[in-house]
Amino acid sequence: MNKIRLKKQRVYGPDVFLQEYKGQLVVQKTYRHRILPVRTLGMGLIAWEAFIYSKLAGIKGIPKLIVKPDRYSLSTSFMGGENLRETRKRPDNAYFDEVEKIITSMHARGVVHLDLRNRRNYGIDDCGMPYLMDFANCLYLPWPHALKTCMARIDWMGYLKIKYKMNPDLVSPIEYKRLSLGQTLSTLWLPGKAFKALKNIIKQLRS
């Protein structure tokens, strides 16, 4: 099969394709065709993401690392379905129960995702079950300490935001209180605002 682009092409991000590899469908992420500074940064991100996948191997709902053909690229198993940004399905309790299991297992392996506020990082397969994607910006914190606890809470806040957006009827009163706290804290998160401003500047320069 021919490559199918899965993500809009951006000068600062990777190309992401669906393609066939040794008889199976895989998702390839590559910085191979980016300009040198982005390609160099991408090389580090690819190495880091491959390392994270090695730590998460065997967890249900996490894609498997299939091959790393060069230092700028990696391919993972294709999980099917679509992401929560594009789906018209309404995830149910079974979906969110499984997401919580994935997050709990991920944290137990020392991995904190840090971008679970993004619906594109949640998949829903053909059976309505979840998987998580895009581990390039994760932290690896294998030992219990205050920093890991704090970062893990960011993941759970992000998850609750998605749950509320996709099916607010399933959010419990306790979860709603936690969500409200997370929304308050996010307004004070200056690095996030700075990154958003930088992205807007890049868009203006390209237009």
Side-chain angles (χ1 to χ4, degrees), residues 150 165 177 183:
C150 180
K165 191 173 188 68
K177 288 182 180 179
Q183 291 173 335

Side-chain angles (χ1 to χ4, degrees), residues 82-91 95-96 99 118-125 128-133 162-163 165-166:
E82 53 198 346
N83 65 60
L84 291 190
R85 179 70 181 273
E86 298 171 350
T87 189
R88 294 185 178 181
K89 298 176 183 177
R90 196 181 192 201
Y95 178 93
F96 289 111
V99 172
N118 187 345
R119 283 180 290 164
R120 292 186 185 278
N121 291 334
Y122 295 79
I124 181 167
D125 68 19
M129 289 292 99
Y131 56 94
L132 298 182
M133 299 175 280
I162 298 301
K163 185 176 182 179
K165 191 173 188 68
M166 298 302 298

